[in-house]
Amino acid sequence: MKDRMRIGDLSERAGVTQRTVRYYEKMGLIPPGEREGNGQHYYTEETVARLRKIDQLKKLGLSLEEIRDVIDLYFMDPSGVQPKQKVLGILRQHLSEADRKIEGLQQFRTDLLTNIERFEQWLKDAEQL
Amino acid sequence: MKDRMRIGDLSERAGVTQRTVRYYEKMGLIPPGEREGNGQHYYTEETVARLRKIDQLKKLGLSLEEIRDVIDLYFMDPSGVQPKQKVLGILRQHLSEADRKIEGLQQFRTDLLTNIERFEQWLKDAEQL
DNA sequence: TATAAACACGACGTTAACGTCATGTTTGGA
DNA sequence: TCCAAACATGACGTTAACGTCGTGTTTATA
């Protein structure tokens, strides 16, 4: 609930390791948060949300690189104007890829069901002996 | 169309590299095919089909390990009886995982669409200036 | 039969996404 | 103030799924 966590609290609240936080930081997935001259990094509540969103997207099969391309849209403040038309393109691309994957998975699902049924039937038949 | 290809033809027809063939062979995804004492491996038409099916499943996000668990079902001859009840379990598990992934992807798709619309609207508004 | 093309096999290289030390500095509580 | 707990950083390790090289044997063709 604080807006000045160190990496320990952050990682615990987000459910990731400190190594992961540092890795994502270096990869540009989350903003860095150094403070003063001491060297320790301080993070805010939004970073927790970012880490959780990243985790969600990962579970959908997106790579960190892909996530880096879209993550900002989830935390866009309506003030950062720019040639972000590019982002739109990326989004559309991800959209059609998602469509492809969904279609493929549904086909796979159907195949699995068919196989299961065939298999059960075959087991039943074998029992008759 | 031959049933006695060597690795060159096989890999070309299946659209994979020879290294991939050897790797899959070692991983147990395709049956080995040595012949005589010479050392060269000979493959059949079915192996081409297997390689293509493996490629399809890969594109759905299955790992080689997962594929190894189900690939035989696609090429099961109705004669190999055994405690393959286990296979049924694996199939069911894959089924529910596929369901989860589909659901997630659809949510992701919806999110993307929302973001795209919001973004386009925002661009339009900004143009009004 | 002489060779180039094809094949076999071992070993090291590569990318992604971190894990796991090792070592040195900073912070927070008794 | 002192010291254990927390943090920073660098470096090497790990898994998956192959790529790439080097070297040595087999096959096919002129």
Side-chain angles (χ1 to χ4, degrees):
Chain A
M1 315 233 175
K2 275 297 191 71
D3 238 27
R4 189 178 166 73
M5 302 169 257
R6 290 190 304 171
I7 198 169
D9 290 351
L10 174 68
S11 63
E12 190 177 354
R13 297 212 37 218
V16 300
T17 68
Q18 304 191 5
R19 180 68 171 86
T20 299
V21 171
R22 297 208 178 93
Y23 183 63
Y24 287 177
E25 204 167 332
K26 184 170 287 184
M27 294 295 106
L29 283 163
I30 60 176
E34 309 217 13
R35 232 38 183 291
E36 298 146 47
N38 49 20
Q40 306 231 3
H41 297 203
Y42 291 88
Y43 307 87
T44 80
E45 196 64 24
E46 188 181 300
T47 308
V48 177
R50 273 184 91 101
L51 286 173
R52 292 191 175 141
K53 178 57 78 177
I54 289 172
D55 200 51
Q56 283 178 31
L57 296 178
K58 277 194 57 183
K59 284 178 180 159
L60 298 181
L62 298 207
S63 70
L64 292 189
E65 196 179 348
E66 291 177 309
I67 292 174
R68 187 176 46 196
D69 291 340
V70 299
I71 185 71
D72 279 331
L73 284 163
Y74 286 98
F75 299 93
M76 211 166 29
D77 69 323
S79 65
V81 193
Q82 233 85 25
K84 289 196 177 175
Q85 198 79 5
K86 169 195 160 201
V87 179
L88 247 180
I90 294 175
L91 279 184
R92 292 193 187 292
Q93 195 176 327
H94 276 273
L95 184 61
S96 66
E97 275 172 25
D99 282 346
R100 266 197 332 98
K101 280 192 180 178
I102 288 173
E103 205 173 334
L105 274 176
Q106 260 154 2
Q107 180 58 51
F108 179 55
R109 204 197 111 95
T110 305
D111 284 6
L112 283 178
L113 274 177
T114 305
N115 277 327
I116 288 178
E117 278 171 31
R118 210 159 55 191
F119 202 81
E120 282 175 333
Q121 188 56 46
W122 174 80
L123 278 181
K124 221 178 264 178
D125 291 356
E127 248 170 44
Q128 299 291 311
L129 310 179
Chain B
M1 312 236 176
K2 276 296 189 73
D3 237 27
R4 190 178 166 76
M5 300 170 256
R6 290 190 302 170
I7 198 169
D9 290 351
L10 174 67
S11 63
E12 190 177 353
R13 298 212 36 217
V16 302
T17 69
Q18 304 192 5
R19 180 67 171 87
T20 299
V21 171
R22 297 209 178 91
Y23 182 64
Y24 287 177
E25 205 167 331
K26 185 170 285 180
M27 293 297 107
L29 283 162
I30 60 177
E34 308 217 12
R35 234 37 184 292
E36 299 145 46
N38 50 19
Q40 305 231 4
H41 297 203
Y42 292 87
Y43 306 88
T44 80
E45 196 64 22
E46 189 181 300
T47 309
V48 177
R50 273 183 92 99
L51 286 172
R52 292 194 176 138
K53 178 57 80 176
I54 289 172
D55 199 50
Q56 282 177 33
L57 296 178
K58 278 194 56 183
K59 284 179 180 159
L60 297 181
L62 299 208
S63 70
L64 292 188
E65 197 180 348
E66 290 177 309
I67 292 174
R68 188 177 46 197
D69 291 340
V70 298
I71 186 71
D72 280 331
L73 284 163
Y74 286 98
F75 300 92
M76 209 166 31
D77 71 321
S79 66
V81 193
Q82 234 83 25
K84 288 196 176 175
Q85 198 79 6
K86 168 195 160 203
V87 179
L88 247 180
I90 294 176
L91 279 184
R92 292 194 187 292
Q93 195 175 328
H94 275 273
L95 184 62
S96 66
E97 275 171 26
D99 284 345
R100 266 198 331 97
K101 279 192 181 178
I102 288 174
E103 205 173 333
L105 274 176
Q106 261 155 2
Q107 179 58 50
F108 180 54
R109 205 197 110 93
T110 305
D111 285 6
L112 282 178
L113 274 176
T114 305
N115 277 327
I116 287 177
E117 277 171 32
R118 209 159 56 192
F119 202 79
E120 282 176 333
Q121 187 56 47
W122 174 80
L123 278 180
K124 221 178 266 181
D125 290 357
E127 248 171 42
Q128 299 290 311
L129 310 180

